[in-house]
Structures are given as structure tokens and as C-alpha cells.
Amino acid sequence: MNRRKFLSSTGLLLAAKSLPALPLPPFTPKPASAKADHALRIGPCTLDIGRGVSIKTVAYNGQVPGPLLRMREGVPVTIDVTNSSDNADIVHWHGLAIDSYNDGAMEEGSPMIPAGHTQRYAFTPRPSGTRWYHTHAMAGDDLTRSTYTGQFGFLLIEGHDHPARYDQEINLAIHHWGPSFVPMVETMRADSSNMPLTTGSDVGYKYATINSHMLGSGEPVRVKEGQRVLFRLLNASATENVVLALPGHTFEIIAMDGNPVPNPKSVEVLSLAVAERVDAIVHMNAPGVWILGSTLEKAREMGLGTVIEYAGKKGAPAWKDPAPSTWDYTQFAGSHVAPNPDDSFTLTFRDIGPLHGSKFDTWTINNKSWPKIEPLTVQKGKRYRLVFRNGSGDQHPLHLHRHTFEVTRIGDKQISGLRKDVINVMPLDTVEVDFVANNPGDTLWHCHQQLHMDYGFMQLIKYAD
């Protein structure tokens, strides 16, 4: 169903009747009358993110990020979500291999939660690792909705393995606030017809936070010399990719999107596309007061940073620009060639400019846009390769629901072992990922930038009967 038509409908009943018949959840861990393991409430809240800066938004349980949810891998859970906002909404459990009904994407058949109603989600959480939860509603041209709001939180699935030793864990979520539409700067890249690749409007922001505060506000992250600190970093922005550094320190990358990397490596600078997560160990061996923040001065001035304060140290936080570097996924991957897939799909995406009087670009996959795009069909148990070809001047963080994929090629370089659920495809680049069709049910893949997703950049994958 077209998410635009659903949310613009004046009657929820009419919209509900137009949905396909929904399958029942595969199990019910607790009777409906029993108390859920977790409870979330979607509702309005006001955040004081900086001195004299208040943000009115929508959040879970009146806080940003939402409550930290810890679960055990393989242990069934129930979560009651009550919608106390004015609009129908939905929660997506990002990175989990669960059924389509509970996944939290209307395109897959998950039900929207009408205003004033409660939805019970019931599933068995897997795989282990740093996952997250967030709204999966449409925003369109309403920048007070969906991922522009504070509706996001960490979801940690604890398994039996403990891949790293650490003394303290710190969860940091990045978000941008005060969105508005701004003219999009046309890229200098051109296609074979010498026409600009990017036109229309984009989203700009006034402020940025790590967790709920701008740089210089809120409490610092307090550490001790000699500690090994596990930082779980999440980019919960609606549209903005970020690059971070902590002067005087390096990040030992041990996991991406919750999955251990084949080749842990220390870097001075790390990149987080929209919806990506990185688990990094930082050795606290440079006593002082530092800024962990964006490598861009303008972004730090907007608030994108937090203070790291060693015990016994005071004073103004220090910043030092890191040496120039290029983010390279391949350095964390294996070098052997991945197995050949059973089949592959080549998916070329680009923007075709505003259509039908819209001021926003329409995005296409093989020249078609959601919802007028045929699904990809797969067979259970087979290995498939998705060849992502970026024909635009934008970066695109691509997310596959309900499955984890293995990155098998970036540009001309073949790799293996790097398992993710979001991959950022650079302008005019090609990336290949493999997944095993081992979780039957409708499965969505899309660009995680809200504006791109809302304007065509989505496609379903269906399992053959």
C-alpha cells in the first residue's frame, strides 16, 4: 500500500480496509491480558537541548533517546506501544531477523498504530548485537513527523559471546533538530547527457545533539585513565551522515551494525551514515578534557559533540583537527572472495527531479518508484547478490529489513565477512551485498534518508510460494 495515501487518508477504517489481510504473529509468548516485558509510549515532549534552546518533538516515554531496551537473544519478548500522539505511527525494530507482521514496516504488512491505541509486538530477538528501534512512518513535507522527531532508542540484544573486554559502556546517539527545506546545491558531476544529477530541495538543520544535548550542555562523559571504554555510536538523524573524531585517541572498531567485524582496526576518524551503528573500544590514555564530535567546525557549532572528561581534570574541552582521511569499509573486512550467489539483482538508482508540481526529487530504482515498482522474488534458502549502482550525486545509506547481508564488493575491491544491515553507497559508486533468503515474508529495502524514502526510494522483496 502507498504510505502517502495511508497517512493522508481521512479515515483510518478506510485505510485499514485497503490493507491486505495480515498474517497472525507466529507465536504469542504471553496472553494479551498479561503485562508486557516492555512498554513504550509515543507522545509529545519538550527537550532543553542547549542554553535557551528548547525543542518540541515526539518521543518515547518522554525522553530522547528512548528507554534502553536490553533483551536476551532467543528469549521471546512482548512490547506494548501506546500511541499518545495525534497521528498514526509505527515502530520498526531495526536489525532484527523477525517476522514481517512485527517488523514494523507498513509496506511489509505491519499495522499502523492509530492515535489513542496500543499495539503489542511479540517476537524472539535475534541476532545479538547493537540494534535500535525507531518510527517507520512517512513524513513527506511535514518535518515534524517520523525520523525528524525524537522517536529512536537503543535496542541491545545480549548473546552468549563477549567479543571484547571493557570497563565501561557508553551509548551515544546523534540527531539533528530544527529541520527546514533549503535549496539543494547542484552537484558538479554530470551524467552522459551533461545534465546535473541533483536538483530540487533538501533538508537543513539548526541544531545537532549527541543524546539529548548540544556540545557544551548537559553532563560530560566521565572516564578514568587506563579504562577501556566501549562506545556504542548510533546515527539517528533523518538525513545527515556524520564523521566523528576524539582528539588524542583512536577508535578500535570491533562491530558494525551490531555484527563483529572480521578485521578489528583502530582509526582516528569514523564515519556513520544515517541508521548505521559502530561499536568501538577507546583506550583512555590521554588524560584531559576533550571534545568527541564532528570533524566539521560548522557541525560542532550546531552542537554535534559531547565532552569527554577524565577524572580529576577540569577546564575548557580541547579540540584538534585530525589528519585528513577517507572512510573505507574494506579495511575491516576479510580479503578472500565470497561464495558465488545463486542469483543476483542489479539495482540502479537515481533522482529524476521534481514531478507533478512537487518541490522534491523523485527517486527511482531501475527507472521505477515506490509504490509503482515490482517486487524482487527470491526462493527460501538461496543466496542472492544485490548490486547497488548509484547513478546520483548523493550518498545513500541502504537498509535491508529482516536480514543481515555480507558486503562482497565496494567499487573494484572484492571483500568478505563484513556483515551489516545498512551500507552507505557513495556517489556514482557500485556496492555489492549478499544475503541468504532465510526469513520468509515480505521484506523491504530502501534508502534510510527520510526524504529519499518518502519520495520513491523503496522496493519489496517477496519469497516465492
Side-chain angles (χ1 to χ4, degrees):
M1 180 185 179
N2 186 340
R3 56 167 50 200
R4 302 180 198 177
K5 291 182 179 179
F6 181 93
L7 292 179
S8 63
S9 171
T10 58
L12 285 172
L13 180 60
L14 177 62
K17 287 182 178 179
S18 66
L19 285 169
L22 298 176
L24 292 175
F27 62 87
T28 305
K30 292 186 177 182
S33 59
K35 183 179 179 181
D37 298 300
H38 304 276
L40 298 175
R41 182 183 64 84
I42 302 169
C45 76
T46 299
L47 296 176
D48 294 322
I49 63 173
R51 295 171 184 170
V53 182
S54 292
I55 298 292
K56 293 185 182 299
T57 189
V58 178
Y60 298 119
N61 294 15
Q63 65 183 75
V64 175
L68 172 63
L69 301 182
R70 286 187 183 270
M71 302 174 185
R72 292 291 299 174
E73 184 179 22
V75 178
V77 297
T78 52
I79 306 171
D80 281 349
V81 180
T82 299
N83 186 1
S84 299
S85 73
D86 294 331
N87 302 299
D89 218 312
I90 196 167
V91 181
H92 171 48
W93 314 100
H94 185 123
L96 298 190
I98 60 178
D99 61 287
S100 300
Y101 182 94
N102 285 286
D103 186 49
M106 187 182 67
E107 297 79 10
E108 297 174 348
S110 305
M112 296 291 287
I113 310 172
H117 288 68
T118 297
Q119 168 75 20
R120 173 161 291 190
Y121 293 89
F123 54 83
T124 298
R126 58 172 62 95
S128 62
T130 304
R131 315 298 164 186
W132 67 303
Y133 62 97
H134 60 85
T135 174
H136 208 279
M138 176 196 170
D141 62 359
D142 185 349
L143 302 186
T144 66
R145 302 280 299 277
S146 197
T147 57
Y148 299 107
T149 73
Q151 294 179 78
F152 58 87
F154 282 92
L155 173 60
L156 304 183
I157 310 301
E158 298 175 341
H160 300 293
D161 298 329
H162 300 281
R165 179 185 64 80
Y166 55 89
D167 303 301
Q168 183 182 182
E169 62 179 51
I170 303 293
N171 302 324
L172 300 177
I174 293 155
H175 197 66
H176 292 78
W177 305 94
S180 62
F181 291 115
V182 296
M184 184 180 290
V185 177
E186 292 189 357
T187 179
M188 295 303 292
R189 292 189 177 91
D191 62 15
S192 58
S193 63
N194 293 319
M195 296 297 291
L197 290 170
T198 307
T199 58
S201 297
D202 206 347
V203 179
Y205 299 88
K206 291 183 180 179
Y207 314 109
T209 59
I210 292 184
N211 289 348
S212 58
H213 290 98
M214 299 167 60
L215 178 61
S217 299
E219 293 295 313
V221 174
R222 294 184 171 88
V223 300
K224 296 179 180 179
E225 185 178 0
Q227 281 187 323
R228 287 168 54 90
V229 177
L230 171 62
F231 284 91
R232 292 191 181 93
L233 299 158
L234 158 67
N235 185 352
S237 177
T239 62
E240 294 294 297
N241 300 339
V242 299
V243 180
L244 304 175
L246 175 56
H249 303 77
T250 58
F251 301 97
E252 181 188 352
I253 309 298
I254 62 171
M256 290 185 173
D257 295 347
N259 308 302
V261 299
N263 184 30
K265 187 173 181 179
S266 293
V267 295
E268 284 191 71
V269 175
L270 63 83
S271 175
L272 280 174
V274 172
E276 284 189 311
R277 290 88 66 212
V278 163
D279 292 6
I281 297 288
V282 177
H283 297 259
M284 291 301 164
N285 53 13
V289 183
W290 301 96
I291 293 173
L292 189 168
S294 172
T295 58
L296 299 177
E297 182 178 6
K298 182 177 179 180
R300 295 196 304 276
E301 290 172 350
M302 290 171 56
L304 185 44
T306 192
V307 175
I308 308 296
E309 181 182 280
Y310 278 74
K313 300 297 180 180
K314 299 295 180 183
W319 173 263
K320 181 181 178 181
D321 288 332
S325 64
T326 300
W327 182 250
D328 182 5
Y329 287 114
T330 67
Q331 64 187 315
F332 308 106
S335 57
H336 66 273
V337 177
N340 290 327
D342 297 300
D343 203 351
S344 65
F345 301 98
T346 298
L347 304 159
T348 302
F349 39 89
R350 62 166 295 155
D351 49 328
I352 57 174
L355 294 181
H356 311 302
S358 171
K359 59 183 177 181
F360 309 110
D361 286 344
T362 297
W363 290 90
T364 62
I365 303 167
N366 293 349
N367 299 315
K368 294 186 179 181
S369 293
W370 181 269
K372 296 181 179 180
I373 181 171
E374 297 80 9
L376 307 176
T377 301
V378 299
Q379 293 183 335
K380 183 180 177 181
K382 290 190 174 183
R383 181 183 178 98
Y384 291 89
R385 180 158 296 167
L386 304 179
V387 181
F388 296 131
R389 298 179 59 208
N390 187 354
S392 77
D394 283 17
Q395 299 180 36
H396 294 286
L398 304 182
H399 172 43
L400 178 65
H401 282 231
R402 307 179 56 249
H403 299 75
T404 298
F405 54 73
E406 179 182 8
V407 185
T408 56
R409 182 187 289 269
I410 297 181
D412 296 330
K413 192 168 185 178
Q414 288 184 304
I415 59 174
S416 60
L418 185 62
R419 297 164 54 247
K420 300 183 92 276
D421 57 60
V422 176
I423 185 73
N424 192 37
V425 184
M426 299 300 287
L428 304 179
D429 204 357
T430 297
V431 170
E432 298 179 6
V433 305
D434 289 10
F435 76 98
V436 177
N438 56 6
N439 191 14
D442 286 358
T443 300
L444 187 68
W445 80 271
H446 61 89
C447 179
H448 217 286
Q449 289 205 27
Q450 184 75 46
L451 197 63
H452 298 175
M453 179 173 62
D454 286 346
Y455 288 89
F457 204 152
M458 296 194 292
Q459 187 175 24
L460 274 177
I461 299 172
K462 286 183 172 288
Y463 280 70
D465 295 333

